[in-house]
Amino acid sequence: MLAARASAARSASRIARNTRKFATVVDSAGVKVAAADNGEPTTAVTFLVKAGSRYEPKPGVAHALKNYAFKSTEKRSFLGTVREAELYGGVLSSSLSREYLALTAEFLRGDEAFFVDVLSSFLTSAKFTRYELTETVGPVCEAETTAALHDPATHALELAHTIAFRRGLGNSIFAAPGHHVSADDVKAYAHSVFGAGNVAVLGTGIDAGVLEKLLEKSLGKFPSAAAPSSTPSAYFGGETRIDAHHGPQTVFVGFGTAGAPAPELAVLASHLDPTPSVKWSQGTSPIAASVPAGTFVRPVLLPYSDASLFGLLVQGRTSADVKTAAKAAVEALKAASSLKGEELQKAVAKAKFSAASAFDVRDGLISTLGPKILYGSSTSSSDAVSALDKVDASAYSKATSSLIKSKPTFVTVGDINSLPYADELGL
């Protein structure tokens, strides 16, 4: 009886998952909207803008634009926005990637009119004052950059992008310390990207029709904007070493591809991921058993609209442990290109679970659905999973072999006198 109930529950869950789709519409202002209401007690609305660092005309402008979010507009002062949001019990946040600026409001149901207007007013009437740049935006940018440079993992990934792609996707999402960006620079960049065609809106806990009407009211006659220009992505690769005396010893071994992200790379990442499915288990990753205690290896897959960066981030207390773990990781990566049979089946299943579960959390929705909404692609979880269902041994072997044959992107952060070079790991 219990087994029958469990089976019925799983069937109901599958049906619910398959029917949980995002309604995609285009409102009169030309903004793409996707929303789903599954009875959540709270609502979240995110504005996604093609304003990432790959599009910035001057280094650091995108980072400053991100930190100008929710400052003074024609409708509200910075202080007024903060106080009103607190009275409603809502949370406002902004984040930046290489391709998108995300502005998010999370709040109780029923307060959507106020928060959608707050988000919209930044796109339509932000003031970009000099005193806010001097007193708030600039110091926050500097603090975030300093924190990033003191985190070996973040620092390594930023360097990896520069080596892998040079310009465009190689642009850092952090402003360089002491780099001068003026309020006029930020204002000009915002005016060039804030417009119909460059904005998509994602909502959860809100009906698509309701959200569309609120946007029509708050955005009004939203002007159109040309798509931002960027250097088409091309992969180069290379090696760099940064001497650092804080945090764990760090090595990043990566490879890149140009073109649309391939589902085979998600399968490869799942196969190499040492995170076990059961507590205290070593998991199925070929890396786990070869990693010294206190040393960590995690796969990194960063897909973009026209390229992908895949790699293995290795961190540990000592250079010797990191070298041992990195060598094992490289050997496992090379062996993974011949994956087939049950091993491939397990990796595909794990990748499918990760893809489907991303639709269950708001951060996952933004990173997963954001590009799809902007480019008008399907927004259902079943479509995301079906692409992985099509991965067979032949396609997987071809994609992974081609990846590994390319020039590696190799970054070390730490004691560069003892950390390994790429050729010492068999690269």
Side-chain angles (χ1 to χ4, degrees):
M1 182 179 293
L2 289 175
R5 288 178 180 175
S7 177
R10 285 194 296 270
S11 297
S13 177
R14 283 194 293 269
I15 293 171
R17 174 66 59 80
N18 289 334
T19 56
R20 183 182 178 181
K21 295 183 179 180
F22 285 75
T24 303
V25 297
V26 178
D27 71 8
S28 59
V31 175
K32 296 178 181 178
V33 182
D37 188 353
N38 297 291
E40 297 94 338
T42 60
T43 299
V45 176
T46 296
F47 280 36
L48 294 149
V49 189
K50 289 182 183 178
S53 59
R54 74 173 297 174
Y55 303 117
E56 62 184 5
K58 185 176 181 179
V61 171
H63 191 192
L65 178 61
K66 188 267 292 188
N67 286 320
Y68 257 116
F70 313 118
K71 301 300 186 291
S72 298
T73 66
E74 296 295 337
K75 287 189 174 183
R76 302 174 184 86
S77 67
F78 176 30
L79 181 60
T81 297
V82 172
R83 286 185 171 177
E84 286 188 82
E86 289 176 341
L87 284 172
Y88 280 104
V91 177
L92 300 173
S93 61
S94 61
S95 62
L96 181 70
S97 75
R98 283 175 161 75
E99 296 194 302
Y100 311 109
L101 168 66
L103 309 167
T104 299
E106 299 172 83
F107 47 90
L108 295 170
R109 277 179 176 270
D111 297 333
E112 54 271 6
F114 169 75
F115 285 99
V116 169
D117 189 64
V118 167
L119 294 170
S120 300
S121 63
F122 178 63
L123 269 65
T124 58
S125 64
K127 290 185 175 180
F128 299 109
T129 62
R130 283 184 299 225
Y131 78 86
E132 286 175 327
L133 178 66
T134 303
E135 296 177 5
T136 306
V137 175
V140 170
C141 286
E142 187 171 348
E144 290 177 340
T145 299
T146 301
L149 293 176
H150 279 75
D151 176 20
T154 302
H155 196 182
L157 289 176
E158 286 298 302
L159 292 169
H161 279 84
T162 301
I163 296 170
F165 303 112
R166 298 184 182 175
R167 301 175 182 84
L169 289 177
N171 295 348
S172 176
I173 60 176
F174 299 101
H179 196 86
H180 178 70
V181 173
S182 69
D184 288 338
D185 292 332
V186 183
K187 185 176 182 178
Y189 182 51
H191 287 177
S192 70
V193 295
F194 286 176
N198 290 333
V199 179
V201 180
L202 171 65
T204 58
I206 185 171
D207 179 75
V210 171
L211 180 56
E212 184 184 3
K213 290 178 181 178
L214 289 172
L215 290 170
E216 289 175 349
K217 180 180 179 181
S218 60
L219 290 177
K221 294 181 179 180
F222 197 40
S224 60
S229 61
S230 173
T231 303
S233 295
Y235 177 71
F236 297 94
E239 182 173 355
T240 191
R241 304 170 70 79
I242 300 297
D243 193 28
H245 303 282
H246 53 265
Q249 302 297 310
T250 302
V251 167
F252 176 77
V253 181
F255 300 87
T257 64
E264 289 80 8
L265 296 186
V267 175
L268 175 62
S270 294
H271 172 64
L272 296 175
D273 186 1
T275 305
S277 299
V278 180
K279 192 176 182 180
W280 309 124
S281 166
Q282 283 194 335
T284 59
S285 172
I287 300 175
S290 305
V291 174
T295 305
F296 304 93
V297 180
R298 66 179 176 92
V300 176
L301 176 58
L302 299 170
Y304 298 102
S305 61
D306 62 349
S308 297
L309 180 64
F310 174 86
L312 295 164
L313 186 68
V314 186
Q315 292 188 291
R317 293 189 296 264
T318 68
S319 300
D321 285 347
V322 168
K323 182 176 181 178
T324 299
K327 193 168 185 178
V330 170
E331 291 174 353
L333 177 59
K334 290 180 177 179
S337 62
S338 59
L339 201 63
K340 56 186 177 181
E342 187 178 88
E343 292 300 314
L344 178 60
Q345 182 181 351
K346 287 190 291 186
V348 170
K350 191 173 182 180
K352 287 165 59 178
F353 175 81
S354 297
S357 60
F359 282 72
D360 291 332
V361 293
R362 282 170 175 164
D363 287 343
L365 283 172
I366 293 172
S367 61
T368 302
L369 289 183
K372 296 180 182 296
I373 300 167
L374 277 175
Y375 293 104
S377 303
S378 170
T379 57
S380 70
S381 59
S382 58
D383 287 338
V385 171
S386 64
L388 293 163
D389 273 325
K390 297 175 183 177
V391 175
D392 57 22
S394 176
Y396 172 82
S397 178
K398 182 179 179 180
T400 54
S401 297
S402 176
L403 179 79
I404 297 170
K405 288 178 182 177
S406 62
K407 184 178 181 180
T409 292
F410 190 79
V411 180
T412 58
V413 179
D415 183 4
I416 58 175
N417 292 319
S418 56
L419 283 170
Y421 286 86
D423 57 4
E424 295 175 341
L425 301 180
L427 293 170

